[in-house]
Amino acid sequence: MKELIIIAIGSALVNNVVLSQFLGICPFLGVSKKVETAAGMGGAVIFVITIASFVTGVIYRFLLAPLHFEYLQTIVFILVIAALVQFVEMFLKKVMPPLYNALGVYLPLITTNCAVLGVALTNVQKEYNLLKSVVNGIATAVGFTIAIVILAGIREKTEYNDIPESFKGTPIVLISAALMAIAFFGFSGLI
């Protein structure tokens, strides 16, 4: 149990996928304009990464490794992730059309979100069993959601502030993300 807690805290805060490993930057910067949209994207990423961690773990452990096809892991993982994202896209289009429209092009980009593939590959690289893989996946996705929602909140607050002209737009967003990364570095003493 202690090891699972360490994995969860490490994945969500200490080694935050966006702020420490710089994976998933595209949706992090693109969808973080409004808190509601960022939370929706975070929910979709939590679902996809959690399911992808389990499914890729099962495929690797029970199919690729026994047949000595480990070299196919990246291709297989990408196919699994693409299928899961299609499922999420169909679900959101049917059940939550406003969120589907708000996410726009960034929803299919979860397929190419390197954070999702990064978690699956990290699980294999660290030789996590299925439970540890799922915990790592959930924690990583929660860390992504925390980061994107915080950045969206900051962007909403700075939108109407008096910012020098040269810092408006992307520069202030990147400075905010850099300051967040420095703040999250403070969590490194937890584990």
Side-chain angles (χ1 to χ4, degrees), residues 69-90:
F69 287 150
E70 293 93 347
Y71 60 92
L72 292 175
Q73 70 186 9
T74 304
I75 294 168
V76 170
F77 291 176
I78 289 171
L79 292 173
V80 167
I81 292 165
L84 288 171
V85 170
Q86 289 299 313
F87 172 73
V88 169
E89 192 172 1
M90 291 185 313

Side-chain angles (χ1 to χ4, degrees), residues 131-184:
L131 179 60
K132 290 178 185 175
S133 293
V134 171
V135 168
N136 183 46
I138 292 171
T140 300
V142 167
F144 175 86
T145 303
I146 290 169
I148 197 170
V149 168
I150 290 173
L151 184 64
I154 292 170
R155 287 180 77 172
E156 283 184 357
K157 295 292 183 190
T158 59
E159 186 176 345
Y160 300 109
N161 288 349
D162 187 26
I163 299 171
E165 191 64 35
S166 59
F167 286 108
K168 287 187 178 177
T170 304
I172 195 67
V173 174
L174 294 176
I175 290 170
S176 300
L179 292 173
M180 285 175 56
I182 291 169
F184 270 69

Side-chain angles (χ1 to χ4, degrees), residues 101-159:
N101 293 330
L103 291 174
V105 71
Y106 293 101
L107 187 58
L109 281 179
I110 295 176
T111 303
T112 60
N113 185 344
C114 51
V116 182
L117 181 60
V119 171
L121 294 174
T122 299
N123 290 338
V124 170
Q125 186 179 34
K126 292 188 176 182
E127 298 178 357
Y128 286 158
N129 61 27
L130 288 179
L131 179 60
K132 290 178 185 175
S133 293
V134 171
V135 168
N136 183 46
I138 292 171
T140 300
V142 167
F144 175 86
T145 303
I146 290 169
I148 197 170
V149 168
I150 290 173
L151 184 64
I154 292 170
R155 287 180 77 172
E156 283 184 357
K157 295 292 183 190
T158 59
E159 186 176 345

Side-chain angles (χ1 to χ4, degrees), residues 22-103:
F22 307 112
L23 299 174
I25 295 291
C26 180
F28 178 67
L29 296 175
V31 183
S32 61
K33 292 178 182 155
K34 298 209 178 296
V35 172
E36 297 82 25
T37 309
M41 175 60 104
V45 169
I46 287 172
F47 177 78
V48 170
I49 288 181
T50 302
I51 301 301
S53 295
F54 177 75
V55 173
T56 56
V58 168
I59 289 173
Y60 183 82
R61 196 155 327 289
F62 298 112
L63 187 65
L64 297 178
L67 296 174
H68 303 292
F69 287 150
E70 293 93 347
Y71 60 92
L72 292 175
Q73 70 186 9
T74 304
I75 294 168
V76 170
F77 291 176
I78 289 171
L79 292 173
V80 167
I81 292 165
L84 288 171
V85 170
Q86 289 299 313
F87 172 73
V88 169
E89 192 172 1
M90 291 185 313
F91 176 78
L92 287 179
K93 189 175 185 178
K94 193 87 158 162
V95 177
M96 298 181 219
L99 179 59
Y100 173 80
N101 293 330
L103 291 174

